[in-house]
Structure formats: structure tokens, C-alpha cells
Amino acid sequence: MNIDSAWDIIDRVLADQLPQVAETLRGPVDDADLARLAQSVGRELPEDFVTSLRRHDGQDNPTALLDLFDHHTLLSATAMIDHSKMRIEALGDDIDDTIDWMTPDKVRPIMNCRGWLQFTTAETDGYALDLDPLPAGEAGQILYLPIDGPTPAPEFPSYRAWLSNYAEKLDAGAFTIDDALGLWLT
């Protein structure tokens, strides 16, 4: 499904089931913030990702209690820049500093890469665009970045696939709502 169709479903289900979470979704990204985001990763942003940011530039979730799903907050363009800087300060970004025992074919075997743009956060872990894949990978594939371990294989081929998967689960009712913990995908 396309990005707007996915967001139509997400917006509808959240407004119906968790209006307090729906209210945290921000409006469209500012063009200046979008340009700064692309500059911060030094790579072109995928069209589907930009389309999504033009619909919702993340969430305003300062308490981290109104997450989009499974304790994941959707980051704004500005928050993605800040988060990327934090990861680089903590983990570095040397693409030549490989983890010897890993032999991936799609994702760089390193702890961190400037070309990984994390767009959700759940206590520092989160989903990220891989804008600097190995030759067998595809720019824009989606990784789940753990803070304390090597990067696993891509989970989705694109942001559109990731967002569509989330929308399809919401549309199918494949989630539970816990008043204390929020929305959990099943």
C-alpha cells in the first residue's frame, strides 16, 4: 500500500482506539528540517520516507507514555538528527571497524553507521533506515538497531513496507491496548 493509504488507516485506528496517541502525531515536516536531516546523514532520503514525513513529522511524546506501538515513539526529523549524533558519540561511525565474526551480505558488520537513520526509539533501540547497505542490500531497507549488540539482517525492504505492515496490523485488529503500557502489536 502507499504511504498515504497506510497513514489513513493508522490515523483512523488511533483516533478511534487511542485518541491520546493520535493527538501526539505532529503535522508535516518543515522543509528546513528535512534538508538538515538529509545533510546530517549525508545521503538522499528515500521518497517513501519523505512522503511520510510530509504527512507526520514524528510524535510529540515528551513523557514517552504515549508511544505509537510497543514502546516505540516515532521520531521527528529534528529528534532523528539529535539521536544520530548521540549514537555517533556513543558508538562511533567507523565503517572500517568491522566485527570480524559477522559475515552479512546486506548490512555492514559494525556497531553504528552514519548512514543508519533511526526513526523510532524504544529506550534507545529502534527501527532505522539503512542508507549505506552492502552490495546485496538495498538503500532504504529497514533494520532494528539494538543498542547493545551487532546489527541484525534487514526486517523490511523499505519504509513503505514497514509502515504498511504496521497499518495492516492495526486495520486487522492485531493489537491489544493496555491502559498502563499502550498499544501492543500481536
Side-chain angles (χ1 to χ4, degrees):
M1 93 179 50
N2 68 39
I3 295 295
D4 283 327
S5 296
W7 273 118
D8 287 345
I9 292 168
I10 295 164
D11 287 340
R12 175 181 47 80
V13 172
L14 290 179
D16 184 51
Q17 299 290 322
L18 284 166
Q20 65 276 28
V21 172
E23 291 170 9
T24 69
L25 291 171
R26 297 166 49 96
V29 68
D30 174 282
D31 286 338
D33 288 343
L34 190 57
R36 280 198 322 276
L37 180 61
Q39 182 181 20
S40 75
V41 293
R43 289 155 181 87
E44 186 175 335
L45 299 173
E47 185 178 326
D48 57 353
F49 184 65
V50 171
T51 299
S52 183
L53 287 171
R54 291 195 186 283
R55 177 84 176 247
H56 289 296
D57 182 21
Q59 290 179 266
D60 284 322
N61 186 15
T63 62
L65 296 175
L66 298 172
D67 298 311
L68 198 59
F69 67 92
D70 300 348
H71 288 301
H72 283 268
T73 294
L74 189 62
L75 297 173
S76 67
T78 300
M80 284 183 246
I81 293 167
D82 293 343
H83 201 79
S84 181
K85 287 178 186 175
M86 179 188 68
R87 283 187 63 90
I88 289 168
E89 288 172 8
L91 302 171
D93 69 341
D94 183 359
I95 62 171
D96 295 324
D97 189 19
T98 62
I99 300 170
D100 293 340
W101 56 267
M102 288 181 65
T103 56
D105 63 340
K106 296 180 180 182
V107 179
R108 295 188 181 283
I110 57 180
M111 290 299 291
N112 191 47
C113 177
R114 184 176 301 275
W116 295 341
L117 181 58
Q118 191 168 338
F119 59 87
T120 73
T121 187
E123 299 178 13
T124 67
D125 290 1
Y127 288 96
L129 288 166
D130 182 359
L131 302 174
D132 192 17
L134 290 176
E138 293 195 30
Q141 62 193 5
I142 303 300
L143 313 173
Y144 188 78
L145 296 179
I147 194 66
D148 59 355
T151 305
E155 290 193 23
F156 297 93
S158 67
Y159 184 84
R160 181 187 57 77
W162 177 84
L163 191 68
S164 295
N165 180 61
Y166 175 55
E168 288 166 359
K169 286 182 178 185
L170 291 185
D171 201 33
F175 62 91
T176 58
I177 296 174
D178 180 312
D179 289 338
L181 300 174
L183 187 143
W184 288 87
L185 300 177
T186 55

